[in-house]
Amino acid sequence: MENSFNHCNLPPWVIASRHFNDNPQPLEIQGVRAVNRFFFDKLAGIETHEERASVFNDYMSVKFQLHQWQQETATARKSLKNSYLRFLRGWMMDSNSVEGAVLKGWVESRMGLPPTFHNVRIAGIHDENYLQYAVDRTKGSARTSAINSQLDLLYEYSQYELAKRYPDRKHLTLYRGTFDRSEYDVLETISKREEMVRLNNLNSFTTDEERAWEFGFVVWQVQVPLAKVFFYSELLPNSILKGEGECLVIGGEYRVKRLMCTV
């Protein structure tokens, strides 16, 4: 692990490890819950997920001087460029975009996990390909209002809602389709259909196995710790991001099971 510094309650090598995935613990971005204590106290008194999401949107809008993204005024379009929603949308269109670089940069900054892929393989922070990723990250962050702080709060809110949604679970069964397995490092072959792989620091998964086949010739089934779900599409009801069961998952070493195509 080349980046040994982060803003989390656990060190990077623990977060990235297969042992963490087998025995997950809560992850917290330092200071976020404390600084936004009023917001989380308010959530605790709200019964429905939809109402809490509305409060979250309002809180983000006020705290970071954003406007409601649904509005089509020139001011709202301009503010959308400063909004976490822009980066989520950019990722969902192309995870190798400048918006994707910003999200990978958030994981690197907060969790201490540098990316292993951004348009091309990145061998490490001294690789020349890392520089291009860093350039994209800088471009994406330019003229943006505290985007890492916005993403901090998005992650903590996601974790709050996941704990409400799955009070007795520590993992989700998720699926990922891929056309190019060369993007990943195979660390260990466990069986004919199971491997230990190192995933990029941020990855798209889906809750829908059939949907995963649309994204690759190979589909992996993975047990993902709830603590490593950065965002899931049902988090924000009535959002353009809703649908497809997409989850953005923080990377590291994962045991993956290759599924057989049933068609």
Side-chain angles (χ1 to χ4, degrees), residues 63-66 79 81-84 87 141-150:
K63 183 176 178 69
F64 298 106
Q65 299 182 328
L66 309 175
S79 66
K81 295 178 182 178
N82 294 324
S83 168
Y84 64 97
F87 295 89
S141 299
R143 299 182 300 280
T144 301
S145 175
I147 186 57
N148 277 340
S149 295
Q150 290 185 48

Side-chain angles (χ1 to χ4, degrees), residues 46-54 157 161 165 232 234-237:
I46 301 174
E47 291 188 6
T48 70
H49 170 59
E50 290 75 14
E51 286 181 88
R52 291 193 297 270
S54 178
Y157 174 60
E161 286 296 329
R165 193 171 186 174
Y232 62 102
E234 288 79 14
L235 182 66
L236 304 174

Side-chain angles (χ1 to χ4, degrees), residues 203-221:
N203 311 268
S204 287
F205 279 78
T206 177
T207 56
D208 185 345
E209 179 185 341
E210 290 187 12
R211 178 72 179 167
W213 285 107
E214 299 176 19
F215 293 92
F217 301 125
V218 175
V219 167
W220 286 335
Q221 181 185 77

Side-chain angles (χ1 to χ4, degrees), residues 47-103:
E47 291 188 6
T48 70
H49 170 59
E50 290 75 14
E51 286 181 88
R52 291 193 297 270
S54 178
V55 169
F56 172 75
N57 282 332
D58 290 345
Y59 185 75
M60 292 290 278
S61 181
V62 172
K63 183 176 178 69
F64 298 106
Q65 299 182 328
L66 309 175
H67 296 271
Q68 291 298 322
W69 62 269
Q70 294 96 336
Q71 297 175 11
E72 285 301 321
T73 65
T75 303
R77 285 195 296 272
K78 182 178 180 181
S79 66
L80 180 55
K81 295 178 182 178
N82 294 324
S83 168
Y84 64 97
L85 290 166
R86 164 199 162 190
F87 295 89
L88 293 174
R89 292 170 69 181
W91 173 279
M92 290 177 181
M93 288 188 287
D94 179 8
S95 62
N96 292 304
S97 60
V98 293
E99 291 85 3
V102 169
L103 294 184

Side-chain angles (χ1 to χ4, degrees), residues 97-98 101-102 118 128-142:
S97 60
V98 293
V102 169
H118 184 70
E128 63 181 15
N129 292 329
Y130 181 89
L131 177 60
Q132 186 55 56
Y133 144 75
V135 169
D136 281 357
R137 178 182 176 182
T138 301
K139 283 181 183 176
S141 299

Side-chain angles (χ1 to χ4, degrees), residues 109-135:
S109 168
R110 273 36 182 176
M111 303 292 173
L113 310 184
T116 58
F117 192 92
H118 184 70
N119 288 299
V120 293
R121 283 290 298 269
I122 300 174
I125 61 174
H126 304 295
D127 184 350
E128 63 181 15
N129 292 329
Y130 181 89
L131 177 60
Q132 186 55 56
Y133 144 75
V135 169

